[in-house]
Amino acid sequence: MTDTPHRRGADRTEAIMRTTLELGQEIGYAKLSIEAVAARAGASKQTIYRRWSSKGALLLDSLLSLNEPGLDYPETGDLVADLRAQIYAAVDLLGRPPFGPLFKALIGEAQHDPQIAATLNERFIAPQADKTIARLKTARDQGQLSPAFDLDLAMAILSGPLYFQLLITQEQLTHEYVDRILNVLFAGMGPRPQIDREPPEAQ
Amino acid sequence: MTDTPHRRGADRTEAIMRTTLELGQEIGYAKLSIEAVAARAGASKQTIYRRWSSKGALLLDSLLSLNEPGLDYPETGDLVADLRAQIYAAVDLLGRPPFGPLFKALIGEAQHDPQIAATLNERFIAPQADKTIARLKTARDQGQLSPAFDLDLAMAILSGPLYFQLLITQEQLTHEYVDRILNVLFAGMGPRPQIDREPPEAQ
Amino acid sequence: MTDTPHRRGADRTEAIMRTTLELGQEIGYAKLSIEAVAARAGASKQTIYRRWSSKGALLLDSLLSLNEPGLDYPETGDLVADLRAQIYAAVDLLGRPPFGPLFKALIGEAQHDPQIAATLNERFIAPQADKTIARLKTARDQGQLSPAFDLDLAMAILSGPLYFQLLITQEQLTHEYVDRILNVLFAGMGPRPQIDREPPEAQ
Amino acid sequence: MTDTPHRRGADRTEAIMRTTLELGQEIGYAKLSIEAVAARAGASKQTIYRRWSSKGALLLDSLLSLNEPGLDYPETGDLVADLRAQIYAAVDLLGRPPFGPLFKALIGEAQHDPQIAATLNERFIAPQADKTIARLKTARDQGQLSPAFDLDLAMAILSGPLYFQLLITQEQLTHEYVDRILNVLFAGMGPRPQIDREPPEAQ
DNA sequence: TATTAAACGAGACGGTACGTCGCGTCTTGGT
DNA sequence: ACCAAGACGCGACGTACCGTCTCGTTTAATA
């Protein structure tokens, strides 16, 4: 029979992460406690502490487990369409409930927990950025972009305003806003002032 | 004799905020507690709770008290130089110790405390953005920028990548990076793909 | 109005001690926990730890609070009757439920907690012994006992066998057993062997 | 090769008991844990739980294993000398480190663990008492003591004050104190008051 | 100048959760 | 077959702060 009140290893890990997301969605990150996760998951606190060193680390893993394959880029040959599709997907997943608030809270936690910050970067931010950069690089290699096109900076201009709106102004992210950013990235802001004069001295 | 063990009103407010910053710099936001601030400031917890509703609110006020005049734009007539000067100053103040970590932590707190988020926006983010937009508008009105120049979007492109680097990748912000962003904002990314095709359907 | 959900100082102290005895009687010392006392007394754990350093210290105080006036000797002029009365009272209080098991457990705790041992001695054992010795001394001063009568040893012979039965053989203490000890103390064991020969060498 | 990481049966039993005594002497009974014994003995907790039902039972067995032959009485024909020799030996073994503290702690445990109390009595206290009584009986049978000599009571008067001092006042037991008790047992306390009056009514 | 009410320090209090320890049970894998 | 190793649920530990609540004690404004 499959009664099996509690089992081992991966079993418990998976149950705890699922409970973390559930409870996090219900009561929010601030009120989430390891105590409560343990109670609801039918696990002991020790079992949680054996695997994760903090509430943030637990939530991070729980969220990452949702996205095992990652938010991948389609490769239709149409650069802008591909970027748009991927960014729409990311914004839809991370910019709205149920996962948006938890994702935001996690980034919040990263602000005073360097370990969370590092792991978040290594396991989510950097891989995501790398995919964006790789897609842009393909386009540049195919001559769709100028050889001088700054891949890193382009990635920052695509991501930065979205995170700014997500984290700072806390307005709802829309597809329309994504489009505006894509447009300005490739079309520019229009006629421009003199910029070619050198800045004072480096930082 | 100037022993004066404890005085009133603004006196206490000021002492508590100063202590908050001091202690916050020493032990970090995560370990900062109202209990400890009260003890070090020689104030009672009641006195703190009378004025602030949470640790975040206290820190927010404490940080804002540092910046009473605000980070203002010079108005030399040279748009890029003015923007550069102001952004350098902001990056230097908020992107480095001693206040950078506290500022970051506060933004972190805003991710799960809507009241902090709102106050932070009203009292710091929005005023700052308004100044940037005002400076850009002046330039547009003077014909230095195209009449179609999107002021809000420009502000987002100036701020977004900086906050992204501050909060997400957590790399050190440099003046050089500011310059690259200013450059791309006004000079664009270079030759571009077809973008004028319509996006699928709105969000 | 006497609603007053929780009050101060002596109030809480008294409620906690009463709860300790109650709960101790219900579930026994071994299963008694500070956690449970706090919960039932409607107190926080801190409040208990503020006053007592351990479960044993709490129980000790709780038991002592029962016996504020002490188990005093009557002074009828009849030494044996006075001793008998007092010992009967002590045996009845400490040798039976509800307090006997807790008293025994406390002595048990004293075996691995020197602080409990010391306090128990100072606040209960020694005062009790002093009263016995004082009563014997009165009798000796009045010529009812030989001038060479060893007061301390007499006290030990009165107490020792009772504690032995209480703690070691764990048989029920009876008044009849008290009488046998009183009798042997004052009447001796009967004809005796040669004892006046010196022991080998001192320990 | 004598590496033999873990062996069977009596082997393990013996190693565990030895470790128990070692660790008990080092850190005291209160801090002794089955967890720690298992770790130090290189045994698994299961192996310990297979043989003993509690920490107390384990310590009891471990201590008893020290005393396989028992503290036996010499039989020189001189009653007092024989008693003295045996009691000296008992006091020296159980009244001082290294085993005194553990023995005391075990008696402490017996106060809230009836199973320990029962086993302690059956396997140590009663056999020891029986030997004392047997020695006294031999003397009585040989006419060295009055036919009315109360063997049980004599045993209690010999043991009681010693346990009282060991467990209650926690003073060091000395040979001199043993001598005083032996003396009073056989020589009495000196001139005595009227005791032959009947006590009130039985308990 | 004396009175009084507000603001204050100090800190006790009921709570919640922390992170840790050890319990006694269990499963796994090695000898 | 027995073992070590150790994961697991559980209960309690003792601690840290939370936010609320008396307590006197200043202190400054009123009478």
Side-chain angles (χ1 to χ4, degrees):
Chain A
M1 195 172 349
T2 48
D3 185 27
T4 54
H6 49 268
R7 290 166 302 169
R8 291 310 170 84
D11 267 348
R12 301 280 76 206
T13 299
E14 205 265 335
I16 289 164
M17 294 194 306
R18 196 174 47 246
T19 303
T20 299
L21 292 176
E22 249 176 62
L23 208 48
Q25 287 162 23
E26 287 173 28
I27 62 179
Y29 180 75
K31 292 186 189 167
L32 188 65
S33 72
I34 289 187
E35 195 105 24
V37 171
R40 170 150 349 167
S44 78
K45 288 199 285 176
Q46 274 295 1
T47 299
I48 296 181
Y49 282 111
R50 245 191 287 274
R51 290 171 172 66
W52 296 280
S53 59
S54 67
K55 175 167 80 159
L58 169 57
L59 178 58
L60 175 52
D61 258 23
S62 303
L63 283 173
L64 288 172
S65 75
L66 287 174
N67 185 36
E68 288 307 0
L71 292 160
D72 280 326
Y73 282 87
E75 285 262 6
T76 64
D78 178 341
L79 171 62
V80 175
D82 289 354
L83 290 172
R84 185 156 46 214
Q86 197 273 347
I87 296 174
Y88 279 8
V91 155
D92 290 349
L93 179 64
L94 303 175
R96 316 172 182 284
F99 299 116
L102 292 179
F103 179 62
K104 283 170 47 182
L106 188 57
I107 294 176
E109 200 69 7
Q111 305 313 313
H112 45 248
D113 183 335
Q115 195 198 299
I116 299 293
T119 310
L120 182 60
N121 261 295
E122 284 162 30
R123 308 236 331 253
F124 180 74
I125 301 295
Q128 233 27 60
D130 289 348
K131 286 177 194 161
T132 301
I133 290 168
R135 184 62 190 85
L136 289 167
K137 184 163 192 305
T138 301
R140 191 177 66 181
D141 291 348
Q142 293 172 350
Q144 296 169 22
L145 297 171
S146 147
F149 190 89
D150 185 334
L151 302 173
D152 289 343
L153 191 57
M155 194 280 299
I157 285 171
L158 283 175
S159 300
L162 293 170
Y163 279 101
F164 182 73
Q165 188 146 320
L166 181 70
L167 303 175
I168 309 294
T169 66
Q170 313 238 27
E171 291 165 55
Q172 183 57 253
L173 285 169
T174 63
H175 287 190
E176 187 271 337
Y177 189 60
V178 174
D179 294 335
R180 283 169 69 198
I181 294 166
L182 278 169
N183 187 68
V184 81
L185 177 65
F186 294 113
M189 294 293 296
R192 55 203 65 106
Q194 306 304 98
I195 180 91
D196 28 28
R197 173 176 354 130
E198 74 283 352
E201 82 282 31
Q203 67 124 192
Chain B
M1 203 214 305
T2 49
D3 187 26
T4 55
H6 51 268
R7 288 169 300 170
R8 296 309 169 82
D11 267 351
R12 302 280 76 205
T13 299
E14 205 266 334
I16 289 164
M17 293 194 305
R18 196 174 47 247
T19 302
T20 299
L21 293 176
E22 248 177 64
L23 207 49
Q25 286 161 24
E26 288 173 29
I27 62 179
Y29 179 75
K31 291 184 188 167
L32 188 66
S33 70
I34 289 187
E35 198 103 24
V37 171
R40 159 122 34 140
S44 81
K45 290 198 287 174
Q46 272 297 0
T47 301
I48 297 180
Y49 281 112
R50 249 193 287 276
R51 291 170 172 69
W52 297 280
S53 59
S54 67
K55 174 167 80 158
L58 170 57
L59 178 58
L60 175 52
D61 257 21
S62 302
L63 282 173
L64 288 173
S65 75
L66 286 173
N67 184 34
E68 287 308 359
L71 292 160
D72 280 327
Y73 282 87
E75 284 263 7
T76 63
D78 179 341
L79 172 62
V80 174
D82 289 356
L83 290 172
R84 184 155 47 213
Q86 198 273 347
I87 297 174
Y88 279 8
V91 155
D92 290 349
L93 179 63
L94 302 175
R96 315 172 182 286
F99 299 115
L102 292 178
F103 179 62
K104 283 170 48 183
L106 189 57
I107 295 176
E109 199 71 5
Q111 304 314 311
H112 45 247
D113 183 336
Q115 194 198 298
I116 299 292
T119 309
L120 182 60
N121 261 295
E122 284 162 29
R123 307 234 335 249
F124 181 75
I125 301 295
Q128 238 17 67
D130 289 348
K131 285 177 196 163
T132 302
I133 290 169
R135 183 65 190 83
L136 289 166
K137 186 164 191 305
T138 301
R140 191 177 65 181
D141 291 349
Q142 293 172 348
Q144 294 170 23
L145 297 170
S146 148
F149 190 90
D150 184 334
L151 302 175
D152 288 344
L153 192 56
M155 196 280 299
I157 285 170
L158 283 175
S159 301
L162 293 171
Y163 278 101
F164 183 72
Q165 190 145 320
L166 181 69
L167 304 175
I168 309 294
T169 66
Q170 313 239 25
E171 291 165 55
Q172 184 56 253
L173 286 169
T174 63
H175 288 189
E176 188 271 336
Y177 190 60
V178 174
D179 293 335
R180 284 169 70 199
I181 294 166
L182 277 170
N183 187 71
V184 81
L185 177 65
F186 295 112
M189 296 291 296
R192 54 204 66 105
Q194 305 304 99
I195 180 94
D196 28 28
R197 177 180 347 136
E198 74 284 352
E201 83 281 31
Q203 67 123 195
Chain C
M1 204 216 302
T2 47
D3 185 26
T4 54
H6 51 269
R7 288 166 302 169
R8 292 309 172 82
D11 268 350
R12 303 278 76 205
T13 300
E14 206 265 336
I16 290 164
M17 294 194 305
R18 197 174 46 246
T19 303
T20 300
L21 293 175
E22 250 176 62
L23 208 48
Q25 286 161 24
E26 289 173 27
I27 63 179
Y29 179 76
K31 292 186 190 167
L32 187 65
S33 71
I34 288 186
E35 195 106 24
V37 171
R40 168 144 0 158
S44 78
K45 288 199 285 176
Q46 273 294 1
T47 299
I48 297 180
Y49 281 110
R50 248 192 284 274
R51 291 170 172 67
W52 297 280
S53 58
S54 66
K55 176 167 78 158
L58 169 56
L59 178 58
L60 175 52
D61 258 21
S62 302
L63 284 172
L64 287 172
S65 75
L66 287 173
N67 184 35
E68 288 306 359
L71 292 160
D72 280 326
Y73 283 87
E75 285 262 5
T76 63
D78 179 341
L79 172 62
V80 175
D82 288 356
L83 290 173
R84 184 156 46 214
Q86 198 273 347
I87 297 173
Y88 279 8
V91 155
D92 290 349
L93 180 63
L94 303 175
R96 315 170 183 286
F99 300 115
L102 291 179
F103 179 63
K104 284 170 47 183
L106 188 57
I107 295 176
E109 200 70 7
Q111 305 313 312
H112 47 246
D113 183 336
Q115 193 198 299
I116 299 293
T119 309
L120 182 60
N121 261 295
E122 282 162 31
R123 308 234 334 249
F124 180 74
I125 301 295
Q128 237 19 65
D130 289 347
K131 285 177 194 163
T132 302
I133 290 168
R135 184 63 191 83
L136 290 166
K137 185 163 190 305
T138 300
R140 191 177 66 182
D141 291 348
Q142 292 172 348
Q144 295 170 22
L145 297 170
S146 148
F149 190 91
D150 185 334
L151 302 174
D152 289 345
L153 192 56
M155 195 278 300
I157 285 171
L158 284 174
S159 300
L162 293 171
Y163 279 101
F164 182 72
Q165 190 145 320
L166 181 70
L167 304 174
I168 309 294
T169 65
Q170 313 237 26
E171 291 165 53
Q172 183 56 253
L173 285 169
T174 64
H175 288 190
E176 187 271 337
Y177 190 60
V178 174
D179 293 335
R180 285 169 68 198
I181 294 166
L182 277 170
N183 187 69
V184 80
L185 176 65
F186 295 113
M189 294 292 296
R192 55 205 65 107
Q194 306 306 99
I195 180 95
D196 27 30
R197 178 181 345 134
E198 74 283 353
E201 82 281 29
Q203 68 121 194
Chain D
M1 199 213 310
T2 48
D3 186 25
T4 55
H6 51 268
R7 288 167 302 170
R8 298 306 169 81
D11 266 351
R12 301 281 75 205
T13 299
E14 205 266 335
I16 290 164
M17 293 194 305
R18 195 172 50 246
T19 303
T20 300
L21 293 175
E22 249 177 62
L23 207 49
Q25 287 162 23
E26 288 173 27
I27 62 178
Y29 179 75
K31 292 184 189 168
L32 187 66
S33 70
I34 288 187
E35 199 103 22
V37 171
R40 160 117 42 133
S44 80
K45 291 198 287 175
Q46 271 299 357
T47 302
I48 297 181
Y49 282 111
R50 248 192 289 274
R51 292 170 172 70
W52 297 278
S53 59
S54 67
K55 175 167 80 157
L58 169 57
L59 177 59
L60 176 53
D61 258 22
S62 302
L63 282 173
L64 288 172
S65 75
L66 287 173
N67 185 33
E68 289 306 3
L71 292 160
D72 280 327
Y73 283 88
E75 286 261 7
T76 64
D78 179 340
L79 172 62
V80 175
D82 289 357
L83 290 172
R84 185 153 47 212
Q86 198 272 347
I87 296 174
Y88 279 8
V91 155
D92 290 349
L93 179 64
L94 303 175
R96 316 170 183 286
F99 299 116
L102 292 179
F103 179 61
K104 283 170 48 183
L106 189 58
I107 295 175
E109 200 70 7
Q111 304 314 311
H112 45 246
D113 183 336
Q115 194 198 300
I116 300 292
T119 311
L120 181 60
N121 261 296
E122 284 162 28
R123 307 232 337 246
F124 180 74
I125 301 295
Q128 234 25 59
D130 289 347
K131 286 177 195 162
T132 301
I133 289 168
R135 183 64 190 82
L136 289 166
K137 186 164 190 305
T138 300
R140 191 177 68 181
D141 291 349
Q142 292 172 348
Q144 294 168 22
L145 295 171
S146 148
F149 191 90
D150 184 334
L151 301 174
D152 289 344
L153 191 56
M155 194 280 299
I157 285 170
L158 284 174
S159 301
L162 294 170
Y163 279 101
F164 182 73
Q165 190 145 319
L166 181 70
L167 304 174
I168 309 293
T169 66
Q170 313 239 28
E171 291 165 55
Q172 183 57 252
L173 286 168
T174 64
H175 288 188
E176 188 271 336
Y177 190 61
V178 174
D179 293 336
R180 283 168 70 199
I181 294 166
L182 278 169
N183 187 69
V184 80
L185 177 65
F186 295 113
M189 295 292 296
R192 57 206 62 106
Q194 306 305 100
I195 180 93
D196 27 31
R197 175 175 352 129
E198 74 283 353
E201 82 281 29
Q203 64 121 197

